[in-house]
Amino acid sequence: MSSDSPSQFALTASVESLATCFAQLAKQDQSRSELTDGLLKRLHVYEQDIDRLKMDLEDQTKSRIGYQQQVRVLSEQKMRIEQLIDKDPYVVVLIDGDGSKFLDELLQEPVTGAAKAAQRLNKEIKDYLKDTPLSAVNLPILVRVFANLNDLARSLRLSNVIESADNMRTFAEQFTNSRAEFDFINVGRGKENADAKMRKMFNHFMKNFQCKKIFFAGCHDNGYLHDLREHAGDPDAKERIVLLETTPAEPGFLTLGFSMIRLDTVFRSEPLGSGKVYTNPNHTLPNQSAYSPVLVENATVNGGSRGLPAPSSTHQSSVSLVTTTPSDGTRSPSPYSGQTSTPAANVSSSGNGGISIKYPSSYAAAGGTSGHQNISVQIAKTKEPKTIYYNSDDHRLDPPIKTPGYNNPSQVTYKEKTEKIKPNVFCNHFYLAGNCALGAACERDHSTKLTPGEIAIHRFRARTSVCPAGPSCDDYNCCLSHHCPYDPHCARPECKFKNTRFGDLHLSEDELVPA
């Protein structure tokens, strides 16, 4: 048919082709639309992420600013702390004075010796610091000496290093006054007082960073090992701690690893009694007389029956000479003054500063046949050092005193003079000790003249009063009592020494023995 001509078939094909194209375009449009929707959704997510990041950034910025401010504050605080640490640095020297003793030559001249000791100690420490990083800084040197001054003075006096305890007191005072940073501290009676002070001060200065060096003079006492051993593993402590050896250090201190030095120009290097003594040619030690004319034994001194030493050289004494006679009957030479010794002779006081020696008639050289020969020998007078004795309980012991009899004529005159000065009383220091430091400013009586008998009565009356310092009194001139004067046989029920603030001040015979 004419309708199915080729032109129609071509048109139909074209239409179908176009339809196919449109369908493909429609699919592509749909895909693009879906892609666009996906992109839009993703873009929205990105925008949300960006907003969150902006917020985080703002937070981080604020935090960073806050941290920067804190860093500035902390830096300023650190700077201030470092300034405080470095401000006023110093070094300290801690000395256990009971064991670390100054040279004899310094102690024997307490006024000038104390100044020399301080000067030498200061110089020695500065010389040591020259070889350390602290050499560029002029550091103050603090010195603390801790000692039981009474016991230390007693030990030095009994070892013939000083004449009296007053020398040690003077040395301590002068040493303290020599420099503002130097202190000689009396810790009082007690076995651990100096040790406790040393430990306390050591721990205090270890915690103080301003203290750059600690010189520790206690190597003679193993009791300090525990305190030092705690710091043996600390490098900073090993830089700060320097052991100061005086007498030979105990072996334990050598194993700690700390630096150790000696100051032989300042301190004794040998213990007391070791035989090494620093003597002053112009210094006469106590108990040294000009010569020793005789060797005596069996000495009986008034007042010495309770185990106490002889009170003074002014008391009368009865002694016997000791001699040696060889088997051939000849007399052997005496080691004293080149004289020959004699058989035992009786010796009695001459009453005028000498003694009378009575020899048997067989040895009379020029006395005829009278049976004995009187020879007056002048004994060199020496000033006996004042002494305080304590028993094993650290209770001060008073020397024996004689009770004045009621029939003593001095009782009447003493009472009259006492009534005359009432309401005033006699000054103990002036009449009994021989010196009153207050002088004319003293409120007690100095003007009355007392006879020796009246002074003896006043001395006994003073001894009936309890000393305010009690058993531990360390006043060499104390005239009061530290225990009942009737010990060891006090039978008085109302004795004032029974109920004191120090307890019962009655001592038995065993407790009256000095330790």
Side-chain angles (χ1 to χ4, degrees), residues 63-366:
S63 298
R64 179 173 58 79
I65 294 173
Y67 290 144
Q68 289 175 341
Q69 291 175 345
Q70 291 182 14
V71 168
R72 283 196 294 269
V73 171
L74 293 175
S75 297
E76 292 174 357
Q77 291 179 353
K78 177 176 177 290
M79 185 179 300
R80 286 196 296 269
I81 292 173
E82 288 176 346
Q83 290 174 348
L84 290 175
I85 291 176
D86 295 332
K87 182 182 179 182
D88 299 328
Y90 62 90
V91 299
V92 67
V93 183
L94 300 177
I95 302 171
D96 183 340
D98 290 339
S100 301
K101 298 175 178 63
F102 290 91
L103 289 177
D104 295 11
E105 63 185 31
L106 300 176
L107 295 172
Q108 289 168 357
E109 302 293 340
V111 177
T112 58
K116 288 180 181 178
Q119 182 181 10
R120 292 179 185 180
L121 181 57
N122 191 69
K123 181 180 182 300
E124 293 274 12
I125 298 299
K126 285 188 174 181
D127 289 344
Y128 175 84
L129 295 176
K130 288 180 181 178
D131 299 328
T132 69
L134 301 174
S135 58
V137 185
N138 187 19
L139 297 180
I141 300 173
L142 276 62
V143 176
R144 301 290 182 266
V145 184
F146 303 102
N148 178 350
L149 205 56
N150 296 322
D151 286 352
L152 176 60
R154 189 184 313 161
S155 299
L156 293 170
R157 188 172 55 80
L158 293 177
S159 298
N160 287 338
V161 175
I162 60 176
E163 292 182 346
S164 69
D166 291 337
N167 288 12
M168 191 64 239
R169 295 178 185 276
T170 301
F171 182 91
E173 292 172 0
Q174 294 298 322
F175 185 86
T176 299
N177 293 332
S178 63
R179 292 178 179 270
E181 304 90 354
F182 284 29
D183 289 312
F184 197 117
I185 300 166
N186 180 15
V187 298
R189 187 173 294 108
K191 296 180 179 179
E192 299 296 329
N193 286 5
D195 297 12
K197 289 281 188 182
M198 287 283 287
R199 291 188 179 95
K200 190 71 175 179
M201 290 296 98
F202 174 76
N203 292 327
H204 167 75
F205 288 115
M206 278 299 298
K207 296 174 183 177
N208 191 330
F209 290 103
Q210 291 174 290
C211 181
K212 304 303 180 182
K213 289 279 186 183
I214 301 176
F215 294 85
F216 191 86
C219 300
H220 60 277
D221 189 347
N222 281 325
Y224 296 122
L225 279 175
H226 176 72
D227 302 87
L228 292 169
R229 194 176 287 119
E230 292 181 359
H231 304 281
D234 184 357
D236 177 67
K238 288 197 173 183
E239 287 293 325
R240 296 176 65 198
I241 298 174
V242 179
L243 299 181
L244 202 167
E245 182 186 36
T246 54
T247 54
E250 293 294 329
F253 290 93
L254 305 177
T255 64
L256 296 177
F258 296 114
S259 300
M260 182 178 290
I261 63 171
R262 296 181 59 87
L263 305 181
D264 289 333
T265 63
V266 182
F267 296 103
R268 224 177 191 272
S269 60
E270 296 292 334
L272 289 178
S274 64
K276 182 177 180 180
V277 179
Y278 301 86
T279 58
N280 185 338
N282 298 320
H283 177 70
T284 302
L285 297 176
N287 300 325
Q288 283 185 333
S289 59
Y291 62 92
S292 300
V294 293
L295 178 66
V296 299
E297 69 175 2
N298 301 328
T300 303
V301 182
N302 294 340
S305 59
R306 294 201 314 185
L308 293 173
S312 71
S313 60
T314 59
H315 291 276
Q316 295 180 351
S317 62
S318 175
V319 298
S320 60
L321 294 178
V322 178
T323 62
T324 58
T325 304
S327 58
D328 59 2
T330 60
R331 288 175 288 177
S332 61
S334 169
Y336 300 98
S337 304
Q339 299 173 348
T340 58
S341 59
T342 66
N346 295 325
V347 182
S348 61
S349 172
S350 66
N352 59 0
I355 57 175
S356 176
I357 308 177
K358 298 180 180 180
Y359 297 96
S361 59
S362 59
Y363 292 105

Side-chain angles (χ1 to χ4, degrees), residues 3-68:
S3 58
D4 293 329
S5 60
S7 58
Q8 289 180 339
F9 282 111
L11 180 61
T12 301
S14 297
V15 171
E16 291 177 355
S17 176
L18 288 173
T20 302
C21 289
F22 282 123
Q24 291 177 350
L25 289 173
K27 288 181 180 181
Q28 291 177 356
D29 288 341
Q30 185 178 358
S31 298
R32 280 193 292 270
S33 177
E34 292 175 355
L35 179 61
T36 301
D37 291 340
L39 291 172
L40 291 173
K41 289 179 180 179
R42 188 176 298 174
L43 180 60
H44 181 68
V45 172
Y46 288 160
E47 288 176 347
Q48 291 179 338
D49 290 342
I50 290 173
D51 290 337
R52 283 195 299 270
L53 290 173
K54 286 181 178 180
M55 294 175 64
D56 290 343
L57 179 60
E58 291 176 357
D59 290 340
Q60 292 296 328
T61 302
K62 292 179 181 179
S63 298
R64 179 173 58 79
I65 294 173
Y67 290 144
Q68 289 175 341

Side-chain angles (χ1 to χ4, degrees), residues 419-437:
E419 294 292 333
K420 187 176 181 180
I421 66 169
K422 279 187 175 180
N424 203 350
V425 293
F426 297 123
C427 174
N428 289 339
H429 292 287
F430 180 79
Y431 289 101
L432 303 182
N435 179 45
C436 178

Side-chain angles (χ1 to χ4, degrees), residues 352-397:
N352 59 0
I355 57 175
S356 176
I357 308 177
K358 298 180 180 180
Y359 297 96
S361 59
S362 59
Y363 292 105
T369 58
S370 60
H372 67 267
Q373 177 184 14
N374 291 334
I375 304 174
S376 180
V377 180
Q378 189 70 26
I379 302 297
K381 294 183 179 180
T382 58
K383 184 178 180 181
E384 294 292 335
K386 294 181 179 180
T387 306
I388 299 176
Y389 290 91
Y390 300 85
N391 63 17
S392 57
D393 297 323
D394 281 338
H395 192 126
R396 176 169 175 165
L397 301 179

